[in-house]
Amino acid sequence: MANQAIKTIGVLTSGGDAPGMNAAIRAVVRAGIGAGFRVKGIQRGYSGLLNEEILDMNSRSVADVIQKGGTILYTARCLEFVEPDVQERAADICKKHGIDGLVVIGGDGSYRGALALARHGIKVVGVPGTIDLDINCTDYTIGFDTAVNTAMEAIDKIRDTSTSHERCSVIEVMGRHAGYIALWCGIANGAENILIPETYDNDEQAIVNQIVEDRKRGKRHHIIINAEGIGHSTSMARRIEAATGIETRASILGYMQRGGKPTCKDRVYASIMGAKAVELLAEGKYNRLVCHQHGEFTDIDMEEGLAMTKKLPKNEYQISQVLAK
Ligand code: ADP
Ligand code: F6P
């Protein structure tokens, strides 16, 4: 039986899209209906909320979406949402549409927006959706698994041609300020160097020396995975080619990492997390973040979760260094 205080829940996606968001939306809609709520879909994140782009959802609204990348509700970055009067207006719009509970699927920025709505009486629950894995209170975010698999396959292909031409490749992957995608691809693709904001010391000369040494040891290519948070891959490739005399090319993988069919893991985890968000609202628990910690799906107070810090696993980085020899 649904919590008496909540009759209608809304769901929106916000920030960068991530494969698996549709599975989460589907779970919120179907679990919500199952719990006795009316469910409304808000299009285009907080921008759509301000424009009252709000749709009634039923089970059929989310048919045939679990396998699709992107988000059927569309997403947006709404810069004006940091302003207190805009947040108050958004909460009033929720109330006007009878939305007393809201599931926000997105990252840290989206949760800050959700907290602002919470201060105006909307009962919010966050679900972690970002390919970057950069949400501190959870060791899983929707879309990361698909993104790293997509990037891994692309890097395999670049590696083939890099080897044929005996070149060096600088391959830039997404991740905003975090190096998780780079670290995972670096290990999965057997990269010689992984440059991530958390550890990179800007010692390009050391990389140049290593490339020259590796060539002498018989390595036929050299893969450098460069995180977006470091960037400048094209100029880096030019400098490396000038210093080593070895042909060097840069490839920036870009938005392909955010699209495509979600992996099985992203579909399943997103489904569980979407359903858990509804369960929390139905139990009268709100201003919570659904997360995955130590192998279990759990939840945490939203402010507490936002205040947490997360360290890149040192061990994983060290292992990547040993295996690249
Ligand atoms: P993510 O949710 O993936 O971290 P963003 O940082 O782009 O992505 O945030 C998504 C949206 O959340 C922003 O466009 C804005 O509408 C809202 N948002 C971000 N930061 C804040 C904030 N400090 N206060 C209120 N809303 C915010
Ligand atoms: O947060 C996901 C992400 O793809 C980051 O990796 C990247 O820095 C950013 O979004 C790009 O955002 P936009 O779509 O606004 O260019």
Side-chain angles (χ1 to χ4, degrees):
M1 190 58 197
N3 177 326
Q4 288 308 307
I6 298 180
K7 291 195 171 59
T8 302
I9 61 169
V11 55
L12 61 79
T13 48
S14 166
D17 66 342
M21 279 184 165
N22 285 328
I25 296 167
R26 173 178 176 270
V28 171
V29 172
R30 293 197 175 164
I33 291 167
F37 296 133
R38 287 183 65 200
V39 185
K40 299 199 177 196
I42 300 164
Q43 295 182 309
R44 301 177 185 83
Y46 297 123
S47 291
L49 176 58
L50 291 168
N51 293 327
E52 300 189 48
E53 294 168 31
I54 299 171
L55 314 166
D56 287 324
M57 308 281 279
N58 59 39
S59 281
R60 298 280 63 76
S61 323
V62 288
D64 199 24
V65 304
I66 196 167
Q67 79 283 14
K68 290 184 179 152
T71 159
I72 55 164
L73 288 176
Y74 307 103
T75 186
R77 301 199 202 269
C78 173
L79 302 184
E80 60 177 329
F81 212 73
V82 294
E83 291 163 25
D85 56 322
V86 172
Q87 297 165 354
E88 190 177 352
R89 184 153 61 85
D92 287 345
I93 291 169
C94 286
K95 289 170 195 164
K96 178 179 152 191
H97 288 264
I99 296 171
D100 18 51
L102 179 66
V103 179
V104 172
I105 306 168
D108 282 7
S110 303
Y111 302 156
R112 294 206 165 81
L115 272 178
L117 293 173
R119 285 193 282 275
H120 293 285
I122 308 301
K123 298 174 169 65
V124 295
V125 173
V127 171
T130 170
I131 63 165
D132 301 336
L133 196 68
D134 62 346
I135 300 176
N136 296 338
C137 58
T138 183
D139 51 32
Y140 166 84
T141 62
I142 295 168
F144 174 77
D145 190 59
T146 307
V148 286
N149 276 288
T150 301
M152 179 187 75
E153 283 176 21
I155 296 165
D156 280 346
K157 294 184 170 92
I158 294 171
R159 186 189 180 115
D160 287 345
T161 170
S162 186
T163 308
S164 304
H165 287 261
E166 299 175 87
R167 281 176 176 158
C168 173
S169 290
V170 180
I171 305 168
E172 186 171 316
V173 296
M174 274 188 167
R176 210 188 291 208
H177 308 298
Y180 299 101
I181 297 179
L183 178 60
W184 273 60
C185 289
I187 296 173
N189 294 97
E192 276 70 25
N193 297 101
I194 306 171
L195 313 185
I196 52 180
E198 294 87 342
T199 58
Y200 185 45
D201 57 6
N202 286 299
D203 188 356
E204 210 167 276
Q205 188 57 47
I207 298 172
V208 165
N209 295 344
Q210 188 190 335
I211 295 169
V212 172
E213 270 309 302
D214 284 354
R215 243 343 117 100
K216 286 187 197 150
R217 290 198 300 125
K219 283 210 177 201
R220 300 268 57 96
H221 63 221
H222 194 102
I223 304 281
I224 300 169
I225 304 294
N226 189 31
E228 176 186 19
I230 291 171
H232 307 291
S233 298
T234 308
S235 54
M236 188 186 287
R238 252 189 255 118
R239 287 193 300 274
I240 288 173
E241 179 167 309
T244 60
I246 296 167
E247 270 192 324
T248 304
R249 296 285 191 269
S251 305
I252 298 169
L253 297 189
Y255 293 99
M256 65 177 298
Q257 295 161 94
R258 271 210 332 230
K261 280 171 167 292
T263 58
C264 180
K265 179 171 180 177
D266 277 330
R267 295 180 201 196
V268 173
Y269 277 40
S271 298
I272 293 169
M273 287 181 146
K276 184 159 178 63
V278 170
E279 197 180 291
L280 289 169
L281 288 170
E283 286 169 357
K285 296 182 187 156
Y286 43 85
N287 307 347
R288 310 285 299 169
L289 289 176
V290 177
C291 48
H292 189 262
Q293 292 172 339
H294 314 298
E296 282 185 19
F297 294 96
T298 178
D299 58 281
I300 185 170
D301 174 76
M302 201 176 263
E303 279 188 78
E304 208 180 303
L306 276 171
M308 282 171 76
T309 52
K310 174 160 152 179
K311 287 205 177 84
L312 193 100
K314 228 184 192 163
N315 188 34
E316 285 176 23
Y317 184 72
Q318 283 161 350
I319 288 170
S320 76
Q321 299 296 98
V322 173
L323 300 185
K325 295 286 176 245

